[in-house]
Amino acid sequence: MPTTALFLPCAAGVEEFLAAECRRLLGDKPRMETARGGVTVYGDERDAMRLNLGCRLAQRVLWPVAHGPYHDEHELYELARTVCWGDWITARQTLRVDSTAQRSPLRSLNFANLRIKDAVCDDLREATGERPSVDTRWPDLPLALHLTATHATLYVDLSGEALFKRGWREAKGEAPLKETLAAAMLAAAGWQGRAEDGPLFDPCCGAGTIAIEAAQIACGIAPGSQRRFAFEKLLPFRPHLAAWRQMQADAQAAVHAPAVPIFAGDVSFRMTDFATRNAERAGVLHAIDFKTADALQRPAPAERGVLMMNPPYGERIDAKGTGQGGGQAFEGGGSPAEFYAQLATHWKRQFSGWTAWVLSPDMKLPSMMRLKESRRVPMWNGPIECRLFRFDLVAGSARPAPAARAAEEPSD
């Protein structure tokens, strides 16, 4: 197939980081366009394979097959009939259709999905006398339909499962922090695991996502090296499978020892153990120093470095060993403001010379911590609008609250 406009959706706020990542993976040759919610890369099958293997920030890699205006489901059917589906799968393979919409006039996206499925099946039945079946879990041909108020775009989803599913996490429900968002935090901080980037430390690591993502970056491990992709079963990619196996082999050969240490821990023994097992499955246990410890007490593990955390907002910050996760309230009646004020005081005393990056949906976090941020980067954690705050920690950088200053002043 010729070069096409591959679309890589991503979380809002991550687009420029994703464009830079695509340039690192493909070089400066492919033309790219950045828009809200994703990056378009003009590439071919091998570019698509390389992006699936190496992209940490994209949600999927989508190949467009049809685009046009629509008013109803019948016109969606006709749009899908413009594609020769026998070029993509055989009638003995399976498919699934998912859809997203922005201001679409249609009442039922499920019915829209059904009409797209009918178009694929009718096309193959007329050509071969057989029709493919639907597989909602592991389809050979995953299709993504995107509807605006006036136009429809139909994509082949070359990734299959979302790219944040790296292949190492146990299937225990949705993670509080997706791997793609952890990678975006690291990209915003400019941390690439180089010696000059310094050590990385997550004091509230939870399931270990930030530390594991950082360790894979530091070790040169491709994010897609432990999973399968939908394109591997699609007909246009069969002539390229030998090249795909070579890409995988080259990625494995590129793995190396980390140049900087990575530290992580949690106040909960259970979460630290969970994170340790995740790191082992991800192949980076050797690169992370895990320790169960209270974030308000753990000293700096190095003279300088990068603190990075997604605060638990009431989870896992109670007394050591008692944290259970799952959204429990602050124990002892403590408030988030009290925790963050204590954390800032601890950082001022123990982490002078470090740079801290904290992801939070609370725009007042710097005032709660009584720290002045040097940067705030908009990011979305799923549907939640957040900011990634940067704090440059120096001795005395925390500003005591007025009441605290009054208490410290000597009386006459």
Side-chain angles (χ1 to χ4, degrees), residues 13 21 25 33 71 91 109 123-125 137 150 160 164 180 182 185 191 201 204 260 305 314 344-345 349 354 358:
E21 179 179 57
L25 292 170
E33 297 171 359
H71 294 91
L109 293 182
D123 179 74
L124 284 165
R125 186 184 60 214
R137 290 201 63 192
T150 58
F164 79 84
T180 43
M185 295 169 66
W191 195 92
F201 175 35
C204 294
V260 290
T345 299
R349 293 170 178 166
W354 284 64
V358 184

Side-chain angles (χ1 to χ4, degrees), residues 13-94:
V14 179
E15 298 89 352
E16 294 298 332
F17 303 128
L18 174 57
E21 179 179 57
C22 291
R23 283 190 288 270
R24 285 197 300 272
L25 292 170
L26 303 179
D28 293 328
K29 185 178 178 180
R31 182 161 65 96
M32 299 182 195
E33 297 171 359
T34 302
R36 181 173 174 81
V39 174
T40 298
V41 178
Y42 292 85
D44 56 18
E45 291 92 342
R46 296 197 181 196
D47 293 325
M49 294 190 299
R50 196 167 285 109
L51 290 168
N52 269 294
L53 178 62
C55 256
R56 294 190 176 278
L57 301 172
Q59 295 167 348
R60 301 176 183 277
V61 179
L62 304 176
W63 187 294
V65 290
H67 175 78
Y70 78 102
H71 294 91
D72 54 30
E73 292 84 358
H74 174 71
E75 290 181 334
L76 293 179
Y77 174 90
E78 294 299 331
L79 181 67
R81 285 302 304 264
T82 64
V83 181
C84 181
W85 294 105
D87 290 343
W88 286 93
I89 58 170
T90 69
R92 295 176 181 266
Q93 290 181 282
T94 60

Side-chain angles (χ1 to χ4, degrees), residues 87-317:
D87 290 343
W88 286 93
I89 58 170
T90 69
R92 295 176 181 266
Q93 290 181 282
T94 60
L95 74 148
R96 182 187 71 211
V97 184
D98 295 296
S99 57
T100 56
Q102 293 177 333
R103 302 183 302 279
S104 171
L106 301 184
R107 294 184 177 181
S108 171
L109 293 182
N110 286 334
F111 188 49
N113 295 344
L114 179 63
R115 295 304 286 150
I116 298 295
K117 184 269 294 182
D118 289 344
V120 178
C121 291
D122 290 349
D123 179 74
L124 284 165
R125 186 184 60 214
E126 291 174 10
T128 68
E130 297 181 273
R131 57 183 292 157
S133 58
V134 172
D135 185 338
T136 59
R137 290 201 63 192
W138 309 108
D140 298 312
L141 177 67
L143 296 175
L145 173 67
H146 180 66
L147 303 173
T148 67
T150 58
H151 284 71
T153 307
L154 185 59
Y155 300 94
V156 173
D157 179 358
L158 302 180
S159 303
E161 284 196 299
L163 291 181
F164 79 84
K165 296 184 178 181
R166 310 290 202 221
W168 53 260
R169 191 186 296 276
E170 287 183 340
K172 289 190 176 181
E174 287 297 304
L177 183 73
K178 287 186 171 60
E179 288 80 344
T180 43
L181 181 54
M185 295 169 66
L186 292 162
W191 195 92
Q192 298 177 33
R194 303 164 300 189
E196 60 266 30
D197 295 330
L200 187 111
F201 175 35
D202 181 356
C204 294
C205 73
T209 309
I210 293 174
I212 291 170
E213 198 69 18
Q216 288 204 334
I217 292 172
C219 294
I221 298 175
S225 60
Q226 293 181 248
R227 53 163 286 173
R228 303 294 298 273
F229 298 94
F231 70 76
E232 297 177 67
K233 295 184 178 180
L234 297 174
L235 298 181
F237 287 84
R238 288 188 177 177
H240 303 282
L241 289 182
W244 168 239
R245 301 303 173 208
Q246 187 61 50
M247 285 183 198
Q248 292 178 304
D250 291 344
Q252 186 61 40
V255 176
H256 55 79
V260 290
I262 296 165
F263 304 93
D266 201 279
V267 72
S268 163
F269 286 106
R270 185 181 68 87
M271 293 309 298
T272 307
D273 179 65
F274 185 38
T276 300
R277 286 185 279 115
N278 280 338
E280 185 174 15
R281 283 189 295 272
V284 292
L285 182 58
H286 67 287
I288 306 174
D289 181 357
F290 284 105
K291 181 180 180 181
T292 300
D294 189 336
L296 300 178
Q297 299 176 9
R298 186 170 178 178
E303 184 176 346
R304 68 173 187 89
V306 175
L307 275 160
M308 184 163 290
M309 60 186 290
N310 174 41
Y313 312 121
E315 301 176 22
R316 306 192 314 277
I317 62 175

Side-chain angles (χ1 to χ4, degrees), residues 294-379:
D294 189 336
L296 300 178
Q297 299 176 9
R298 186 170 178 178
E303 184 176 346
R304 68 173 187 89
V306 175
L307 275 160
M308 184 163 290
M309 60 186 290
N310 174 41
Y313 312 121
E315 301 176 22
R316 306 192 314 277
I317 62 175
D318 41 4
K320 182 175 178 179
T322 65
Q324 298 297 315
Q328 77 275 13
F330 285 81
E331 289 197 354
S335 68
E338 290 172 339
F339 169 74
Y340 295 128
Q342 292 174 39
L343 184 64
T345 299
H346 176 63
W347 283 355
K348 178 186 68 171
R349 293 170 178 166
Q350 295 286 337
F351 287 84
S352 178
W354 284 64
T355 301
W357 295 82
V358 184
L359 183 71
S360 175
D362 192 337
M363 305 305 162
K364 297 180 179 179
L365 181 73
S367 63
M368 280 197 294
M369 300 188 76
R370 300 196 291 277
L371 289 172
K372 175 62 178 176
E373 78 276 16
S374 59
R375 189 178 171 199
R376 56 171 67 196
V377 182
M379 286 192 175

